[in-house]
Amino acid sequence: MKDKLYQKQFGFRPKNSTEHPVLDLKENIFQSCSKKQISCILFLDLKKAFDTVSHKILLKKMEYYGVHGTALKLFQSYLSNRKQVTCIDGCISALDLIEWGVPQGSVLGPLLFLIFINDIHHASDLGTWLFADDTSLVSCAGSLSDLQQKMNQQVAKVQDWLLSNRLSVHYAKKKSIHAY
């Protein structure tokens, strides 16, 4: 599975830190600027990303990446029939079935999340850099109007991918930068 993960996914990967995507992204922007192009970077933060993973979609993606038979059934069992309670000031909630999300604090949780979002870079023609649930989308063009048109078209494709995978953007945390 390790060799099937998108190479520009830097989160939860050995020998990667937050510096790696920043340096790689910076190099991409410098190359565009040297070609006299304008670049736009859109930084997205997925809202409750680990909590909103659809088990059904995740299992289909795992099957696509080659997890079959007993191994797939093991993961299905791992994700199914999980329950939780909440305790606040000694008050305990009713036992609730967890039907979404990957187990956080587990060794498998981050890997399952990476598998879930592994195909986001296929959603559009934008350059895509990932660090866990933080996504950077990049494009460049010769003029600001061409760049704006391209970004609008391609971001709409990413939005379609997010909707079909039942993920959403934390819009209060989104940012964009233009480089000339």
Side-chain angles (χ1 to χ4, degrees), residues 25 28-33 36-42 137-144 147 151 176-180:
L25 187 55
N28 179 275
I29 299 303
F30 283 164
Q31 287 177 5
S32 295
C33 287
K36 306 286 189 221
Q37 294 185 315
I38 304 166
S39 296
C40 178
I41 312 169
L42 180 61
L137 303 172
V138 181
S139 188
C140 60
S143 72
L144 196 53
L147 181 59
M151 284 298 290
S176 66
I177 298 174
H178 292 87
Y180 299 88

Side-chain angles (χ1 to χ4, degrees), residues 74-137:
L74 180 66
F75 280 106
Q76 185 175 16
S77 174
Y78 178 70
L79 295 169
S80 300
N81 297 315
R82 297 181 75 87
K83 297 178 179 159
Q84 72 179 14
V85 296
T86 304
C87 181
I88 300 174
D89 294 330
C91 295
I92 299 174
S93 70
L95 194 60
D96 199 15
L97 183 65
I98 302 172
E99 300 180 88
W100 296 85
V102 293
Q104 294 184 49
S106 69
V107 174
L108 284 176
L111 176 61
L112 294 174
F113 181 76
L114 294 186
I115 292 167
F116 190 78
I117 63 164
N118 195 54
D119 59 335
I120 191 172
H121 68 282
H122 292 301
S124 74
D125 293 334
L126 298 174
T128 307
W129 280 258
L130 304 165
F131 193 90
D133 64 333
D134 293 314
T135 305
S136 301
L137 303 172

Side-chain angles (χ1 to χ4, degrees), residues 38-86:
I38 304 166
S39 296
C40 178
I41 312 169
L42 180 61
F43 298 99
L44 304 177
D45 181 71
L46 300 179
K47 189 186 295 185
K48 297 188 177 192
F50 286 75
D51 295 331
T52 57
V53 169
S54 162
H55 295 166
K56 184 178 179 181
I57 295 171
L58 173 60
L59 291 167
K60 283 183 182 181
K61 289 183 182 204
M62 292 180 78
E63 194 170 17
Y64 173 80
Y65 289 116
V67 179
H68 301 285
T70 304
L72 187 63
K73 287 179 184 175
L74 180 66
F75 280 106
Q76 185 175 16
S77 174
Y78 178 70
L79 295 169
S80 300
N81 297 315
R82 297 181 75 87
K83 297 178 179 159
Q84 72 179 14
V85 296
T86 304

